[in-house]
Amino acid sequence: MQLDEFFVTGEPLIYAGMVSIVLVTAAIIFVLTYFKRWGWLWREWLTTVDHKKIGIMYILSALAMLFRGGMDALMMRVQLAFPGMDFLGSQHYNEIFTTHGTVMIIFMAMPFLIGLMNVIVPLQIGARDVAFPALNALSFWSFLFGAMLFNISFVIGGSPDAGWTSYTPLAGAAMSPGPGQNFYLMGLQLSGIGTLATGINFMVTIIKMRAPGMKMFQMPIFTWSTLVTAFIIVFAFPILTVALALMTIDRVFGSQFFTLTGEGLPMMWANLFWMWGHPEVYIVILPAFGIFSEVIATFARKQLFGYKAMVWSMILIAGLSFLVWVHHFFTMGAGAFVNSVFSVSTMLIAVPTGVKIFNWLATLYKSKIQFTVANLWALAFIPSFVIGGVTGVMLGMAAADYQFHNSYFLVAHFHYVLIAGTVFACFAGLVYWYPKMFGHKLNEKLGKISFWFFLIGFHVCFFPQYFVGLDGMPRRVFTIIPEWMPLNVISTVGAFGMGLGFAIFVYNIYYSYRYSEREKSGDSWDGRTLEWATPTPVPFYNFATVPHVNSHDAFIEMKETGETTFDEEKVEPIHMPSNTGQPIIMMGIAFIASFGIVFEWMWMAIAGLIGVIVMMGVRSFDYDDGFHVEVDEIKRTERKARRL
Amino acid sequence: MSSHELKSGPLEYRIQQGQMNILGFWIFLGAEIVLFSTLFATYAVLFGRTDEAPLPSELFEPGSVLIMTFLLLTSSFTCGIAIHEMRRGSKKGLITWMIVTLALGLGFIGLEIEEFIHYAHEGATLQSSAYWSSFFVLAGTHGLHVTLGIGWAILLLIQIAKRGLTPVTSRKFFIISLYWHFLDVVWIFLFTSIYLIGMVV
Ligand code: HEM
Ligand SMILES: [Cu+2]
């Protein structure tokens, strides 16, 4: 292979990308070396097993991915603003909508939510860490290396261009030769390992590590949403693992699962993909529902209305999510009977979703609403998501879908649910729990400015797309006809509004780091659940003494009875896991193995796989059982954190 | 996380981490069931799509598959005895029976490889048709699991020899025994839905 086949050439935009990658990398290396921070980075972050730090790393990476996916989006919107634009060619456009979709769902939305879960769930249930701390670190590194592998494709080897759904035969070896599609397959596969491990980890954590007394139906609602999500992950991700593996074997080793030769069945990919893919959309929406419930209850200053109904509707949604996958290809000839069955099951999902909407409204009804930034995101979510949901039901009518399918109407629908649902929730959750993570709030004024830019930009961007879709504009086209221009111009303007909102959001992080008042108590918003019972910054062992829980909204009760999480009499030595470099090393080697498969360099793939197996052996022989934090140290840390 | 040790009950459940690891592994097996179910479903969908390649009924022979089944079922039984010995506190019994288990497992893998080579000689390979792709991937995934299990068990045997029976080592053995029984159950499904059905249809 020649060097100019290895690197992507001939595109000014990509040369700019290469230059910026080199510059940023050089700058990071320089700063770390100049300030002698390498050792610190390794000890404090790269080898950490602390769920709070892992959560922060997830969130930072997800923000970076939101930036990358957002740049893709803006480039697409520029290309589509006017007919006959020559900003991106057709091939480049295909690559960009593919990476945009994949990055946003796999490397932004899911990791962002998993990051919030990591920080908050152990705190909410009164645990000192997750069940398997080292596995948790492994999950993070698997996600990060998977994301890196996927992202380097645009400078090395070329990006995938068959859509984030990668339908065969288009994505097969015959029609998509070269490494691009392999990057998609291996990037998702590598990060998928970590997602599955996260699912198992959180299930065990929530089932086994709750504070004494906390019954299942006393768990905070965000923890419930995490548990339900973990279930979906464990049952959906193996399907994706298999689907990706089969396509990889097809492409690299010439098997015939999805080919048009050898009696393979391209349609089987669509089925496998959506049997994972539809549950996946609930993996990213249920935690969002959990976050909104927490935020709304806190800022309505009321107990969440219909707690049990909220939980049961999540469970019901999770179950139904596995039964509706065919609605993604009603038009591909499954027949009227099959379509009808899946049409009805799709609409059933709207019922528990509706229950949840009414419960949020009932929580707000006759309450003293505080319009903080976190709550604004939650309040804006409700009407926006309803628009997305109603159009979803319209799409779910099989007969009508023949009109809507693969048009901009669909594009508008899924952005209404994904952005108003998931992205708003990520922002709401980040703003809400920010003081717990970093010891200061985000500036409210900047937060509000960023919120309004983003919210208005969002509606301006996506609402017109419903109409241009009904007007016949298909998705995944790189150029438009003059009739579609006015609505597309509006849409592009809205997209830049959102971009501005995001930029202000990021600036706010810097601004608040510099100027925000430091938190004195751990209870920044007068919260209801246990995470607010810890001091800020949270000591690495979380709870000096674990409280006994008797009710839902455990912290409200503690405040009434004057209990704290630092009962000097009851402090005992705490057992904690040691840091370890094994997870990052193992996933680094897995990255190399995957890179070998992407380029079909078998020597590299095999060497890498052997390396991974050796690392598993090393792990098996590691009997490091962690260490104990002594009573003295706990007392000293707590007194300092609580300013006693 | 507490490191308190219980005084009674099976060794592997005595520390909380042990209980959590075992629960976590059960959940992992749930994910493995989904993984194999997906492969079985793929196999069922592609059944009969042999293109120009030979039909399964032309290639499958009862003989060696029955021996393979016998080896694996027996190994599940000896693995059970190994755990029984572990519960009795006999390190030697555990090691001996585990070695028997692994020997049977190795026999199984040897025969499976021989089968695959034989099919390839007759013109049925991973590449020859959709049906054979799904056959080799489904049976091969199971075989790969057995191979990994053997390697894993060898590592555990070394640890047991060095450290003896502790809550940690016995938990590890208990977990691999779950894994081994699981692979046995999967094989029963493989045996019936691939070989028995393939031979008659
Ligand atoms: C009441 C709830 C919902 C209903 C009834 C619904 C219905 C549908 C239907 C029928 C389609 C396929 C349309 C077509 O291809 O013509 C679709 C697509 C899609 N939906 Fe939803 N949906 C709902 C909620 C959600 C949620 C909560 C999310 C994500 C958080 C989501 C994300 C998506 C995505 C990403 C697509 C596009 C898939 C593609 O690329 O083809 N939906 N929805
Ligand atoms: Cu769906």
Side-chain angles (χ1 to χ4, degrees):
Chain A
M1 173 177 279
Q2 306 284 306
L3 208 58
D4 65 340
E5 288 173 32
F6 186 69
F7 288 110
V8 179
T9 51
E11 281 268 0
L13 278 174
I14 289 179
Y15 288 135
M18 286 180 186
V19 172
S20 54
I21 289 177
V22 172
L23 286 180
V24 171
T25 316
I28 292 175
I29 293 176
F30 174 77
V31 169
L32 285 171
T33 314
Y34 187 80
F35 292 102
K36 302 205 171 55
R37 287 301 216 168
W38 285 104
W40 164 84
L41 187 69
W42 177 256
R43 280 189 310 275
E44 295 286 318
W45 291 94
L46 304 186
T47 60
T48 187
V49 292
D50 182 340
H51 67 96
K52 300 178 285 298
K53 287 187 174 171
I54 292 175
I56 289 172
M57 291 194 290
Y58 262 116
I59 292 170
L60 283 179
S61 324
L63 281 171
M65 287 296 110
L66 183 56
F67 177 75
R68 194 248 143 120
M71 291 306 281
D72 283 348
L74 291 182
M75 289 198 282
M76 284 192 284
R77 272 327 315 168
V78 169
Q79 170 68 25
L80 290 183
F82 304 101
M85 281 289 275
D86 199 21
F87 177 58
L88 306 170
S90 59
Q91 173 60 22
H92 198 179
Y93 188 83
N94 291 350
E95 292 175 6
I96 286 190
F97 75 63
T98 302
T99 54
H100 165 77
T102 316
V103 163
M104 284 300 198
I105 292 198
I106 307 283
F107 301 125
M108 188 285 287
M110 229 184 350
F112 209 130
L113 295 164
I114 290 178
L116 290 171
M117 291 174 188
N118 255 297
V119 177
I120 296 307
V121 167
L123 293 174
Q124 280 199 330
I125 61 172
R128 291 196 167 119
D129 205 331
V130 294
F132 312 116
L135 185 70
N136 198 21
L138 190 95
S139 294
F140 171 73
W141 293 111
S142 116
F143 145 66
L144 193 74
F145 279 111
M148 301 268 259
L149 185 68
F150 186 82
N151 272 283
I152 56 171
S153 66
F154 92 103
V155 286
I156 295 176
S159 296
D161 59 1
W164 84 278
T165 49
S166 284
Y167 282 147
T168 49
L170 178 60
M175 294 172 82
S176 291
Q181 186 60 27
N182 295 350
F183 272 115
Y184 170 94
L185 295 168
M186 294 316 295
L188 264 62
Q189 192 71 283
L190 193 55
S191 62
I193 301 169
T195 310
L196 179 66
T198 299
I200 297 175
N201 214 336
F202 277 97
M203 266 169 81
V204 179
T205 307
I206 296 172
I207 292 172
K208 283 272 181 195
M209 295 178 72
R210 297 193 307 278
M214 186 185 278
K215 301 198 191 71
M216 291 297 264
F217 275 93
Q218 286 170 349
M219 298 191 317
I221 197 86
F222 180 58
T223 299
W224 253 116
S225 72
T226 304
L227 180 63
V228 177
T229 305
F231 259 99
I232 309 183
I233 288 177
V234 168
F235 289 105
F237 261 76
I239 308 176
L240 177 70
T241 306
V242 170
L244 294 172
L246 299 186
M247 195 196 274
T248 311
I249 300 172
D250 259 12
R251 291 176 54 87
V252 179
F253 300 102
S255 62
Q256 312 271 9
F257 288 103
F258 309 118
T259 55
L260 292 170
T261 57
E263 298 200 49
L265 278 179
M267 221 21 232
M268 203 173 63
W269 169 265
N271 277 287
L272 290 178
F273 183 86
W274 285 113
M275 274 190 242
W276 160 79
H278 193 81
E280 166 69 15
V281 306
Y282 290 93
I283 292 173
V284 296
I285 202 67
L286 291 183
F289 287 173
I291 293 170
F292 291 130
S293 302
E294 299 283 359
V295 170
I296 287 177
T298 302
F299 294 113
R301 321 231 58 80
K302 260 169 73 175
Q303 197 177 350
L304 185 67
F305 183 87
Y307 169 85
K308 279 208 171 146
M310 289 298 230
V311 172
W312 281 111
S313 55
M314 278 196 290
I315 295 173
L316 206 61
I317 291 175
L320 286 172
S321 75
F322 281 92
L323 306 177
V324 302
W325 78 91
V326 171
H327 68 212
H328 292 273
F329 42 91
F330 280 145
T331 59
M332 293 195 206
F337 177 72
V338 173
N339 277 359
S340 309
V341 170
F342 282 94
S343 186
V344 172
S345 61
T346 299
M347 291 181 199
L348 278 181
I349 293 195
V351 177
T353 315
V355 169
K356 299 188 78 75
I357 302 271
F358 284 115
N359 280 337
W360 286 313
L361 293 177
T363 310
L364 291 167
Y365 181 66
K366 281 198 174 165
S367 69
K368 289 200 203 68
I369 305 177
Q370 291 176 321
F371 292 95
T372 58
V373 174
N375 202 24
L376 284 178
W377 289 111
L379 296 175
F381 147 78
I382 298 175
S384 312
F385 191 82
V386 168
I387 300 176
V390 168
T391 50
V393 175
M394 288 166 73
L395 286 163
M397 292 187 264
D401 192 56
Y402 277 79
Q403 174 67 24
F404 306 136
H405 183 63
N406 272 351
S407 75
Y408 254 73
F409 189 87
L410 169 70
V411 176
H413 154 69
F414 68 70
H415 285 97
Y416 259 86
V417 282
L418 279 168
I419 296 180
T422 305
V423 178
F424 284 16
C426 291
F427 289 165
L430 184 57
V431 174
Y432 178 59
W433 283 307
Y434 201 85
K436 192 83 312 196
M437 293 185 237
F438 298 104
H440 60 266
K441 286 183 184 163
L442 285 171
N443 182 286
E444 286 277 314
K445 189 147 178 240
L446 279 173
K448 282 184 184 157
I449 299 175
S450 125
F451 165 78
W452 286 111
F453 267 107
F454 202 92
L455 178 72
I456 295 172
F458 163 70
H459 284 284
V460 172
C461 179
F462 292 104
F463 204 67
Q465 294 185 356
Y466 281 121
F467 297 98
V468 79
L470 293 176
D471 230 11
M473 177 169 160
R475 69 196 281 213
R476 296 174 179 172
V477 289
F478 84 107
T479 183
I480 58 169
I481 59 171
E483 284 79 358
W484 299 328
M485 189 181 93
L487 289 174
N488 273 296
V489 172
I490 297 175
S491 189
T492 302
V493 171
F496 277 88
M498 292 167 81
L500 201 58
F502 178 67
I504 299 171
F505 194 101
V506 173
Y507 173 71
N508 194 4
I509 292 178
Y510 166 77
Y511 180 88
S512 309
Y513 166 70
R514 289 294 301 273
Y515 303 111
S516 262
E517 197 187 329
R518 304 297 110 163
E519 289 283 302
K520 297 209 176 53
S521 86
D523 186 13
S524 315
W525 311 105
D526 194 10
R528 315 179 67 82
T529 38
L530 277 185
E531 74 267 34
W532 303 108
T534 55
T536 298
V538 189
F540 64 97
Y541 52 76
N542 295 355
F543 297 91
T545 48
V546 177
H548 193 281
V549 177
N550 310 305
S551 67
H552 180 247
D553 286 339
F555 188 41
I556 294 274
E557 194 188 89
M558 286 176 72
K559 282 193 263 197
E560 279 164 7
T561 57
E563 239 184 293
T564 75
T565 58
F566 177 47
D567 192 341
E568 292 222 35
E569 264 84 87
K570 287 202 221 138
V571 179
E572 282 175 34
I574 298 174
H575 180 241
M576 294 301 291
S578 336
N579 284 3
T580 162
Q582 286 161 3
I584 184 173
I585 296 173
M586 180 156 148
M587 281 302 141
I589 301 174
F591 174 89
I592 296 172
S594 311
F595 193 81
I597 296 176
V598 168
F599 281 92
E600 303 182 21
W601 296 336
M602 283 310 139
W603 56 270
M604 190 191 245
I606 291 169
L609 283 178
I610 292 174
V612 171
I613 291 175
V614 168
M615 282 308 293
M616 285 160 80
V618 170
R619 173 82 199 145
S620 175
F621 276 80
D622 185 350
Y623 276 73
D624 183 346
D625 189 31
F627 61 98
H628 279 91
V629 194
E630 295 310 328
V631 174
D632 281 351
E633 191 188 333
I634 300 171
K635 287 191 176 160
R636 228 179 309 124
T637 318
E638 290 290 321
R639 290 211 187 98
K640 186 160 166 249
R642 292 166 191 271
R643 297 172 178 79
L644 292 177
Chain B
M1 217 178 307
S2 89
S3 49
H4 297 297
E5 197 174 326
L6 300 175
K7 294 282 172 281
S8 61
L11 205 50
E12 66 272 15
Y13 280 103
R14 282 196 200 162
I15 47 178
Q16 201 203 357
Q17 193 66 42
Q19 298 173 13
M20 293 199 299
N21 281 39
I22 294 168
L23 176 64
F25 198 78
W26 274 109
I27 299 172
F28 173 72
L29 287 184
E32 288 273 83
I33 291 176
V34 180
L35 184 117
F36 276 106
S37 308
T38 312
L39 288 172
F40 272 110
T42 307
Y43 177 85
V45 168
L46 298 177
F47 192 82
R49 306 183 78 90
T50 39
D51 202 22
E52 317 270 84
L55 295 174
S57 53
E58 293 166 9
L59 295 187
F60 292 165
E61 284 157 15
S64 87
V65 181
L66 271 178
I67 301 177
M68 282 163 73
T69 309
F70 173 76
L71 290 179
L72 208 60
L73 289 189
T74 319
S75 83
S76 211
F77 181 64
T78 56
C79 181
I81 302 180
I83 293 299
H84 180 72
E85 291 290 319
M86 179 177 97
R87 290 270 164 81
R88 279 190 342 133
S90 160
K91 174 173 150 187
K92 201 163 140 240
L94 169 62
I95 294 182
T96 318
W97 284 105
M98 207 58 206
I99 290 177
V100 176
T101 307
L102 294 189
L104 293 168
L106 271 176
F108 170 87
I109 291 295
L111 284 178
E112 180 155 66
I113 294 175
E114 208 177 271
E115 281 287 292
F116 283 7
I117 295 175
H118 168 66
Y119 298 153
H121 272 295
E122 304 287 326
T125 63
L126 183 70
Q127 289 86 8
S128 51
S129 72
Y131 169 79
W132 286 107
S133 298
S134 67
F135 167 83
F136 280 107
V137 169
L138 173 53
T141 305
H142 176 264
L144 193 68
H145 272 73
V146 176
T147 314
L148 283 175
I150 293 173
W152 178 13
I154 292 174
L155 295 183
L156 293 192
L157 281 173
I158 300 173
Q159 293 171 33
I160 276 273
K162 283 210 309 216
R163 293 169 182 273
L165 292 177
T166 68
V168 177
T169 50
S170 54
R171 174 241 297 165
K172 291 186 176 193
F173 253 101
F174 184 72
I175 287 177
I176 200 172
S177 78
L178 291 178
Y179 181 76
W180 198 265
H181 294 311
F182 168 76
L183 292 181
D184 200 23
V185 174
V186 174
W187 176 257
I188 295 173
F189 281 96
L190 272 168
F191 176 71
T192 37
S193 57
I194 297 192
Y195 291 100
L196 286 187
I197 295 181
M199 269 181 270
V200 289
V201 181

